[in-house]
Amino acid sequence: MTTLSPEPPGSAPERTAVLTDHDSLLAFLTGVFAHRGLPPHRAAASARALCHGDLTGMDSHGTANLTRLYLPLLDEGRADPRAEPRIVTDLGAAVLVDARRALGLWAATEAMDLAADRAEAGGIGMVAVRGATHLGCAGYHALRAAERGMVGLVASNCGGQRIARPPGGAAALLGTNPLSAAAPAGDHPPFLLDMSTTAAPTGRIRQAAREGRPVPEGLLCDDRGGPVTDPAEFDAGRAHLMWLGGEPGRYKGFGLGLLVEVLSALVSGSGRGPAPQALAGDGSPAGRDDDIGYLMLAVAPDALRGGVREDAEELFGTVLGCPPVDPADPVRYPGWHEYHRARRCREHGVPLAAGLYRELADVAERTGLAAPAILEEGR
Amino acid sequence: MTTLSPEPPGSAPERTAVLTDHDSLLAFLTGVFAHRGLPPHRAAASARALCHGDLTGMDSHGTANLTRLYLPLLDEGRADPRAEPRIVTDLGAAVLVDARRALGLWAATEAMDLAADRAEAGGIGMVAVRGATHLGCAGYHALRAAERGMVGLVASNCGGQRIARPPGGAAALLGTNPLSAAAPAGDHPPFLLDMSTTAAPTGRIRQAAREGRPVPEGLLCDDRGGPVTDPAEFDAGRAHLMWLGGEPGRYKGFGLGLLVEVLSALVSGSGRGPAPQALAGDGSPAGRDDDIGYLMLAVAPDALRGGVREDAEELFGTVLGCPPVDPADPVRYPGWHEYHRARRCREHGVPLAAGLYRELADVAERTGLAAPAILEEGR
């Protein structure tokens, strides 16, 4: 999952070359998923979840993953477009679901909606999911709870995929294990935190490697913990993803990564990174992101007390009102930039890299669908 | 709250000078709290919670806080030894409690126990608490759920106390907002993460200042974000606590700090750091840690599925079995060192700094109690 971008709103579009119409991009994505066998409602829900990455500037988790991740999952049968998730245990406030390889973009949405339904009545709702596939941006699903006035929490592991090493360890044991949280903020944009528990997601490292530019210190280290800035060293197996917190705080980041594994995989019984086969290899990242686990949690403060909306607006309004060190750079909270960027994109077009647009046009041609409409080229 | 210590188990006792008997230290602390008006059960529960800091090496949150924090709270009437917490709303899985200024060391324990009771029946239990006082080590309370085979999560804000600035902001808005999680690990020591969402807790900075030694880069910064290593600059107002994640990841740490504020204070309706009066000052840390909010969450995986204990043991056993980079430094997970250190302390004595022991002896003399028995001096 990608890290929250503290970049100013305008920075992402500058790297792009094609501005596509939002409705037409959604219609195209919906068509592609329907072509692969998803029922219409699921196809539309999956398209919206995927597009969230492009709208909010989390490019590594947006439409770029259509041909890299979701179509291969469906084409190889690792995701089942018509799978009917099954409720294994239903205790009211807590539910265990086996997603049976349904497409995660849709199944995660359904799971959070169910958690929020239960929270509406009982103040809290938890849906643990196993047998799942990649959910896209965790934040998209957390936001669904916030849009209903609730606090949403999403934890997802990476199934049996192992990417990051424990501190002092010579074998990869955990995925980038994303954690996301969203909360309403009254009339202000919702709070939205969407982060990998590693210092960076793999997508950010690989993008830098493709572009041939170094990454800042604090994201990668060598076997002995020394800093690495050449991103190509990561896939060569000579550099490893660091945990959030860098060297002084790595036990916190590692602990958060383990917490996500516990919440998403131990509670649900899904595949796990730290499994015996992890210690049989040569220490390189390995395992596949099959049988992913999620935990979707919704908390409904309105069910417990009055005045929540006003208090939320005051809390986040105070953050926005904080005097800035640099008057040109006002104080914002996670989710503020993403909300405004998404609104701009819906109104004025979604920027896509030229190469990505060509990929989508190829998919359109092969599936007999209309490619997303271009509003402006060569930006 | 203090950061999880990645130090090898033997390092903390070397700085200390008095080894006290564990049972006698507990009896002394129980006596002091009873002397201040706490009913016997509460006094004993508070003593155990406070002593957890000394047992696990989180010295800044242990007995050192008796005279610095808890006795003043009681003596000034900011904590009420006999307050009866009141259930404001009870929805079964979710409960809202007004602690009415009961001593947090005890009230937090009760709140987590209630959350675990509810989770036993329904798979999940949440107790939101307002009107609370300082809970000591958040991890002590999270661990109570783990000891019942559950996942425990604790979030606490610092009431209206403001210590840390948002990224780019010139006014302190949030406390160090601790987050703790614990989970069972089969026959292995329970997983226990107990962390401030700032890069370090204030106690660690002030301890370094008292000892006249610099702090590592990554904990403090100046107004413009430049690194500060002189800890005295913090209380002088010229250095500010950084967020977990340092410069590259500060939006994640800030986001986690806000998440803790939302979970603990927005859900419960307690005092909050980001309140209008925060913007009326000169930007210095301010506000008092009255009307603290907690969120206690217990998840009972056994209520949802079988095999949890075995899976937990395999998960954490795999981490312990990870080949280490340095054969002399085996891989461990948060909570492992703390568990073993606590066991050693219970059997062989609790190390206390000589100055701290003198403080406790003074309290003993003034209250007519026996001072904790010394097993060994001048270590």
Side-chain angles (χ1 to χ4, degrees), chain A residues 165 220-228 230-241 284-285:
Chain A
R165 300 175 164 201
L220 294 175
C221 66
D222 62 23
D223 278 347
R224 313 296 308 184
V228 174
D230 176 359
E233 295 287 285
F234 174 66
D235 274 329
R238 288 185 298 266
H240 318 292
L241 263 185
S284 304

mmCIF file of all heavy atoms in Angstrom, chain A residues 165 220-228 230-241 284-285:
data_model
loop_
_atom_site.group_PDB
_atom_site.id
_atom_site.type_symbol
_atom_site.label_atom_id
_atom_site.label_comp_id
_atom_site.label_asym_id
_atom_site.label_seq_id
_atom_site.Cartn_x
_atom_site.Cartn_y
_atom_site.Cartn_z
ATOM 1 N N ARG A 165 11.965 -7.977 6.462
ATOM 2 C CA ARG A 165 12.623 -8.760 7.502
ATOM 3 C C ARG A 165 12.386 -8.163 8.881
ATOM 4 O O ARG A 165 12.331 -6.943 9.016
ATOM 5 C CB ARG A 165 14.142 -8.761 7.252
ATOM 6 C CG ARG A 165 14.531 -9.346 5.915
ATOM 7 C CD ARG A 165 16.028 -9.219 5.654
ATOM 8 N NE ARG A 165 16.397 -10.107 4.565
ATOM 9 C CZ ARG A 165 17.624 -10.561 4.325
ATOM 10 N NH1 ARG A 165 18.627 -10.179 5.086
ATOM 11 N NH2 ARG A 165 17.859 -11.381 3.329
ATOM 12 N N LEU A 220 15.457 2.014 2.647
ATOM 13 C CA LEU A 220 16.124 0.738 2.383
ATOM 14 C C LEU A 220 17.405 0.632 3.210
ATOM 15 O O LEU A 220 18.061 1.635 3.490
ATOM 16 C CB LEU A 220 16.506 0.637 0.891
ATOM 17 C CG LEU A 220 15.370 0.562 -0.130
ATOM 18 C CD1 LEU A 220 15.938 0.604 -1.553
ATOM 19 C CD2 LEU A 220 14.536 -0.704 0.077
ATOM 20 N N CYS A 221 17.745 -0.609 3.568
ATOM 21 C CA CYS A 221 19.026 -0.831 4.235
ATOM 22 C C CYS A 221 19.630 -2.133 3.721
ATOM 23 O O CYS A 221 18.935 -2.971 3.143
ATOM 24 C CB CYS A 221 18.850 -0.881 5.757
ATOM 25 S SG CYS A 221 17.885 -2.284 6.324
ATOM 26 N N ASP A 222 20.938 -2.287 3.930
ATOM 27 C CA ASP A 222 21.594 -3.523 3.519
ATOM 28 C C ASP A 222 21.524 -4.559 4.646
ATOM 29 O O ASP A 222 20.877 -4.330 5.671
ATOM 30 C CB ASP A 222 23.041 -3.247 3.066
ATOM 31 C CG ASP A 222 23.902 -2.680 4.198
ATOM 32 O OD1 ASP A 222 23.562 -2.898 5.381
ATOM 33 O OD2 ASP A 222 24.914 -2.017 3.898
ATOM 34 N N ASP A 223 22.191 -5.708 4.448
ATOM 35 C CA ASP A 223 22.127 -6.797 5.436
ATOM 36 C C ASP A 223 22.508 -6.340 6.841
ATOM 37 O O ASP A 223 21.995 -6.864 7.829
ATOM 38 C CB ASP A 223 23.081 -7.935 5.026
ATOM 39 C CG ASP A 223 22.441 -8.843 3.985
ATOM 40 O OD1 ASP A 223 21.217 -8.743 3.776
ATOM 41 O OD2 ASP A 223 23.170 -9.647 3.383
ATOM 42 N N ARG A 224 23.444 -5.390 6.935
ATOM 43 C CA ARG A 224 23.930 -4.953 8.245
ATOM 44 C C ARG A 224 23.202 -3.716 8.743
ATOM 45 O O ARG A 224 23.608 -3.112 9.738
ATOM 46 C CB ARG A 224 25.435 -4.650 8.192
ATOM 47 C CG ARG A 224 26.299 -5.694 7.502
ATOM 48 C CD ARG A 224 26.301 -7.031 8.223
ATOM 49 N NE ARG A 224 26.634 -6.915 9.649
ATOM 50 C CZ ARG A 224 26.769 -7.966 10.452
ATOM 51 N NH1 ARG A 224 26.587 -9.200 9.990
ATOM 52 N NH2 ARG A 224 27.067 -7.804 11.714
ATOM 53 N N GLY A 225 22.171 -3.292 8.035
ATOM 54 C CA GLY A 225 21.408 -2.129 8.491
ATOM 55 C C GLY A 225 21.913 -0.812 7.940
ATOM 56 O O GLY A 225 21.374 0.240 8.264
ATOM 57 N N GLY A 226 22.952 -0.853 7.116
ATOM 58 C CA GLY A 226 23.486 0.372 6.524
ATOM 59 C C GLY A 226 22.543 0.937 5.474
ATOM 60 O O GLY A 226 21.788 0.198 4.847
ATOM 61 N N PRO A 227 22.562 2.275 5.271
ATOM 62 C CA PRO A 227 21.622 2.901 4.341
ATOM 63 C C PRO A 227 21.903 2.540 2.870
ATOM 64 O O PRO A 227 23.068 2.418 2.472
ATOM 65 C CB PRO A 227 21.845 4.405 4.570
ATOM 66 C CG PRO A 227 23.207 4.521 5.153
ATOM 67 C CD PRO A 227 23.456 3.250 5.918
ATOM 68 N N VAL A 228 20.848 2.361 2.105
ATOM 69 C CA VAL A 228 20.935 2.097 0.665
ATOM 70 C C VAL A 228 20.018 3.092 -0.034
ATOM 71 O O VAL A 228 18.873 3.276 0.400
ATOM 72 C CB VAL A 228 20.476 0.655 0.334
ATOM 73 C CG1 VAL A 228 20.427 0.433 -1.174
ATOM 74 C CG2 VAL A 228 21.390 -0.368 0.995
ATOM 75 N N ASP A 230 20.127 3.234 -3.721
ATOM 76 C CA ASP A 230 19.890 2.737 -5.079
ATOM 77 C C ASP A 230 18.723 1.746 -5.038
ATOM 78 O O ASP A 230 18.853 0.645 -4.511
ATOM 79 C CB ASP A 230 21.158 2.046 -5.603
ATOM 80 C CG ASP A 230 20.934 1.421 -6.981
ATOM 81 O OD1 ASP A 230 19.797 1.511 -7.510
ATOM 82 O OD2 ASP A 230 21.884 0.830 -7.520
ATOM 83 N N PRO A 231 17.567 2.135 -5.600
ATOM 84 C CA PRO A 231 16.374 1.285 -5.452
ATOM 85 C C PRO A 231 16.511 -0.056 -6.174
ATOM 86 O O PRO A 231 15.791 -1.002 -5.831
ATOM 87 C CB PRO A 231 15.256 2.140 -6.058
ATOM 88 C CG PRO A 231 15.933 3.074 -7.003
ATOM 89 C CD PRO A 231 17.288 3.342 -6.404
ATOM 90 N N ALA A 232 17.413 -0.142 -7.166
ATOM 91 C CA ALA A 232 17.580 -1.406 -7.902
ATOM 92 C C ALA A 232 18.132 -2.500 -6.987
ATOM 93 O O ALA A 232 17.978 -3.692 -7.263
ATOM 94 C CB ALA A 232 18.518 -1.198 -9.101
ATOM 95 N N GLU A 233 18.772 -2.094 -5.896
ATOM 96 C CA GLU A 233 19.323 -3.070 -4.951
ATOM 97 C C GLU A 233 18.218 -3.884 -4.283
ATOM 98 O O GLU A 233 18.456 -4.983 -3.791
ATOM 99 C CB GLU A 233 20.157 -2.357 -3.869
ATOM 100 C CG GLU A 233 21.408 -1.672 -4.398
ATOM 101 C CD GLU A 233 22.485 -2.681 -4.761
ATOM 102 O OE1 GLU A 233 23.120 -3.234 -3.854
ATOM 103 O OE2 GLU A 233 22.667 -2.926 -5.982
ATOM 104 N N PHE A 234 16.998 -3.337 -4.252
ATOM 105 C CA PHE A 234 15.899 -4.044 -3.567
ATOM 106 C C PHE A 234 15.544 -5.333 -4.300
ATOM 107 O O PHE A 234 15.586 -6.422 -3.717
ATOM 108 C CB PHE A 234 14.679 -3.124 -3.445
ATOM 109 C CG PHE A 234 13.465 -3.820 -2.874
ATOM 110 C CD1 PHE A 234 13.448 -4.283 -1.564
ATOM 111 C CD2 PHE A 234 12.326 -4.024 -3.660
ATOM 112 C CE1 PHE A 234 12.332 -4.941 -1.042
ATOM 113 C CE2 PHE A 234 11.211 -4.672 -3.140
ATOM 114 C CZ PHE A 234 11.222 -5.129 -1.834
ATOM 115 N N ASP A 235 15.247 -5.242 -5.593
ATOM 116 C CA ASP A 235 14.865 -6.450 -6.316
ATOM 117 C C ASP A 235 16.068 -7.355 -6.567
ATOM 118 O O ASP A 235 15.899 -8.547 -6.855
ATOM 119 C CB ASP A 235 14.126 -6.113 -7.617
ATOM 120 C CG ASP A 235 12.625 -5.917 -7.371
ATOM 121 O OD1 ASP A 235 12.095 -6.582 -6.455
ATOM 122 O OD2 ASP A 235 12.000 -5.103 -8.074
ATOM 123 N N ALA A 236 17.285 -6.790 -6.438
ATOM 124 C CA ALA A 236 18.491 -7.623 -6.550
ATOM 125 C C ALA A 236 18.749 -8.390 -5.255
ATOM 126 O O ALA A 236 19.674 -9.203 -5.179
ATOM 127 C CB ALA A 236 19.691 -6.743 -6.889
ATOM 128 N N GLY A 237 17.947 -8.119 -4.225
ATOM 129 C CA GLY A 237 18.068 -8.862 -2.966
ATOM 130 C C GLY A 237 19.175 -8.345 -2.065
ATOM 131 O O GLY A 237 19.478 -8.947 -1.040
ATOM 132 N N ARG A 238 19.783 -7.195 -2.427
ATOM 133 C CA ARG A 238 20.879 -6.672 -1.604
ATOM 134 C C ARG A 238 20.424 -5.534 -0.696
ATOM 135 O O ARG A 238 21.212 -5.016 0.089
ATOM 136 C CB ARG A 238 22.020 -6.206 -2.511
ATOM 137 C CG ARG A 238 22.784 -7.362 -3.173
ATOM 138 C CD ARG A 238 23.987 -6.867 -3.960
ATOM 139 N NE ARG A 238 23.610 -5.981 -5.041
ATOM 140 C CZ ARG A 238 23.394 -6.368 -6.319
ATOM 141 N NH1 ARG A 238 23.525 -7.632 -6.652
ATOM 142 N NH2 ARG A 238 23.045 -5.501 -7.237
ATOM 143 N N ALA A 239 19.168 -5.138 -0.828
ATOM 144 C CA ALA A 239 18.627 -4.094 0.065
ATOM 145 C C ALA A 239 17.248 -4.543 0.531
ATOM 146 O O ALA A 239 16.544 -5.254 -0.186
ATOM 147 C CB ALA A 239 18.535 -2.757 -0.662
ATOM 148 N N HIS A 240 16.894 -4.159 1.742
ATOM 149 C CA HIS A 240 15.651 -4.596 2.346
ATOM 150 C C HIS A 240 14.824 -3.390 2.782
ATOM 151 O O HIS A 240 15.369 -2.365 3.174
ATOM 152 C CB HIS A 240 15.956 -5.492 3.552
ATOM 153 C CG HIS A 240 17.061 -6.452 3.268
ATOM 154 N ND1 HIS A 240 16.905 -7.482 2.365
ATOM 155 C CD2 HIS A 240 18.353 -6.507 3.695
ATOM 156 C CE1 HIS A 240 18.053 -8.148 2.282
ATOM 157 N NE2 HIS A 240 18.950 -7.569 3.077
ATOM 158 N N LEU A 241 13.513 -3.557 2.708
ATOM 159 C CA LEU A 241 12.611 -2.492 3.147
ATOM 160 C C LEU A 241 12.772 -2.283 4.642
ATOM 161 O O LEU A 241 12.747 -3.241 5.418
ATOM 162 C CB LEU A 241 11.162 -2.891 2.876
ATOM 163 C CG LEU A 241 10.488 -2.384 1.609
ATOM 164 C CD1 LEU A 241 9.022 -2.795 1.622
ATOM 165 C CD2 LEU A 241 10.609 -0.878 1.457
ATOM 166 N N SER A 284 15.330 -14.545 0.799
ATOM 167 C CA SER A 284 14.770 -13.569 -0.136
ATOM 168 C C SER A 284 13.269 -13.446 0.073
ATOM 169 O O SER A 284 12.630 -14.383 0.539
ATOM 170 C CB SER A 284 15.006 -14.034 -1.577
ATOM 171 O OG SER A 284 16.357 -14.253 -1.801
ATOM 172 N N PRO A 285 12.698 -12.317 -0.331
ATOM 173 C CA PRO A 285 11.247 -12.195 -0.308
ATOM 174 C C PRO A 285 10.622 -13.331 -1.118
ATOM 175 O O PRO A 285 11.156 -13.724 -2.157
ATOM 176 C CB PRO A 285 10.997 -10.841 -0.966
ATOM 177 C CG PRO A 285 12.244 -10.062 -0.722
ATOM 178 C CD PRO A 285 13.353 -11.076 -0.766
#
